[in-house]
Amino acid sequence: MVVTGAAVVALAVSGCADFSAQDEQRAAGPFSSNDNTFTPKSEPPPTSTPPQSPPSGPCIDPDPAVIATCLESTAGIAPGDESGQSTVVAERTTGKIITQQRYGPHRELGSVPVDSSGDGGLIDFAFSPTYSQDRLIYALITTPSDNRIVRLAPGDVAKPILVGIPKGATGNMGSMYFRSPTELIVATGNAGNPAAASDRSSLAGKILLVTALGSGANPPPKILASGMGSAVALCPNPATGALYVADQTATEDRLQAIEDAGPKVLWTWPDKPQIAGCAAAAGSIYVSTTRTQHIEAVNEPTRERPTITAPVVVLERRYGALGRMTALPNGLIQFATLNKERGRPTPNDDRVAIIQGGASGDNRA
């Protein structure tokens, strides 16, 4: 979902790390009415052409492809507008959802208390399909006891939607998106336990279909696929309905297609470049890597061209360690860096930058 500048608001979510308040709200029913004193904040629509002369001051990156700077360690990412010139990104360690456009200030759309130890924290988020009316954001977060999905609303505490996703010292990174207004697809990491990923009684290492989106006691989600590894990233193609997933295992990194018959492996990387994100755009599936600092692309399989050819490197060691990605309908791809966590941070890290899809070996943003 693309969130336009006019839809940007600040969510006044309770800021202290009181996870018990979330559990108490499980049986609280619908959200309470928004505080009438809440004043939405909007930002001017982003422009596709940045100023000729950049402003002075800290956190100004001269690279024209960089659209957000000075972020804390990043996680999930979403386009902030249809042009791709603004972004919305989760700060894993702070629990904040931040929006920014080039040379613009950080604006906080929401925040939630998280346990950011290991690779946990604010893992991903998804805007309600009716966000312009209800201002709801769904977030995948880590608490001291579990990973869970919560729902954020202006002036209200975070309310649990799905709890009890296993938490580990590692293997917490997952992903989610709305496939339809009533279907939330969620990928969970294996919590550092590959056996749990294969155990149908565990929510770790799974692709889940969540249709019960209210607070309170909800029925278990449907399991669409099992056996996921760590750092699980979903990359849907809305144009075709295809769903791809990238993850890391003990023996290889891999890219799979989620089909009715189960996951189908499209490509593997035995050298384990630490794939952290993926995006489908312009006939290609892109993956970002943390260790090798690449963006690589493979052709998206079709009925006419079902064979996958070897990945092509389309971006190499330009921005450091790379994290999550997201694609826009216009073929642009946004990607976030992980230099504060896994690389050598510059004064402007962490950052979000853009690259044009339609990969060739010489493609650059």
Side-chain angles (χ1 to χ4, degrees):
M1 175 180 181
V2 174
V3 180
T4 62
V8 171
V9 294
L11 288 180
V13 178
S14 183
C16 58
D18 182 5
F19 296 99
S20 63
Q22 294 181 16
D23 293 316
E24 290 172 1
Q25 289 293 333
R26 291 197 69 201
F31 280 113
S32 57
S33 300
N34 289 347
D35 185 347
N36 290 332
T37 63
F38 172 73
T39 303
K41 295 180 180 179
S42 62
E43 60 182 351
T47 58
S48 58
T49 304
Q52 294 297 315
S53 299
S56 59
C59 301
I60 301 301
D61 196 310
D63 187 330
V66 173
I67 56 176
T69 57
C70 291
L71 296 161
E72 295 304 316
S73 188
T74 63
I77 181 175
D81 68 280
E82 293 179 353
S83 72
Q85 300 303 310
S86 66
T87 190
V88 185
V89 59
E91 290 187 333
R92 181 183 64 80
T93 53
T94 69
K96 295 178 180 179
I97 301 172
I98 300 293
T99 183
Q100 189 180 8
Q101 62 183 19
R102 183 164 169 79
Y103 302 146
H106 288 185
R107 296 184 185 276
E108 185 178 315
L109 299 189
S111 66
V112 62
V114 296
D115 177 0
S116 61
S117 60
D119 61 356
L122 175 54
I123 297 167
D124 202 3
F125 62 93
F127 291 97
S128 161
T130 53
Y131 176 74
S132 60
Q133 288 80 45
D134 57 33
R135 296 299 193 257
L136 298 179
I137 301 178
Y138 294 78
L140 177 59
I141 68 169
T142 308
T143 76
S145 61
D146 67 358
N147 289 308
R148 60 178 58 183
I149 300 169
V150 298
R151 191 171 63 175
L152 312 180
D156 210 338
V157 299
K159 292 193 174 181
I161 304 301
L162 175 64
V163 301
I165 302 169
K167 168 194 174 183
T170 61
N172 299 294
M173 288 296 290
S175 183
M176 62 185 190
Y177 78 102
F178 273 98
R179 185 169 72 180
S180 77
T182 58
E183 296 178 309
L184 181 64
I185 305 296
V186 180
T188 64
N190 64 9
N193 182 3
S198 301
D199 182 353
R200 300 284 290 187
S201 67
S202 172
L203 294 179
K206 303 294 189 296
I207 308 295
L208 305 173
L209 171 62
V210 180
T211 56
L213 300 173
S215 59
N218 288 324
K222 179 181 179 181
I223 296 176
L224 300 181
S226 301
M228 299 298 112
S230 61
V232 189
L234 295 172
C235 43
N237 184 337
T240 64
L243 175 59
Y244 308 102
V245 57
D247 66 352
Q248 303 174 20
T249 74
T251 58
E252 62 191 10
D253 293 359
R254 60 189 178 181
L255 177 67
Q256 301 180 89
I258 303 301
E259 301 181 343
D260 292 341
K264 177 183 178 181
V265 175
L266 301 180
W267 198 265
T268 62
W269 287 259
D271 60 333
K272 297 190 286 186
Q274 294 181 350
I275 291 178
C278 66
S284 295
I285 309 167
Y286 298 83
V287 298
S288 55
T289 69
T290 301
R291 182 181 65 81
T292 57
Q293 303 178 4
H294 286 179
I295 292 179
E296 300 184 17
V298 300
N299 62 289
E300 186 172 9
T302 63
R303 180 176 299 177
E304 295 77 20
R305 188 188 178 193
T307 303
I308 300 295
T309 56
V312 175
V313 176
V314 299
L315 191 72
E316 184 173 11
R317 295 187 177 277
R318 181 171 170 181
Y319 297 100
L322 303 183
R324 297 300 195 184
M325 313 174 73
T326 187
L328 286 85
N330 62 8
L332 282 176
I333 297 167
Q334 295 183 351
F335 57 94
T337 68
L338 285 176
N339 289 317
K340 286 185 175 178
E341 178 182 350
R342 303 282 184 86
R344 298 179 179 177
T346 71
N348 296 329
D349 278 318
D350 271 310
R351 296 170 288 171
V352 175
I354 54 176
I355 187 173
Q356 180 64 52
S360 70
D362 298 324
N363 188 17
R364 292 294 183 270

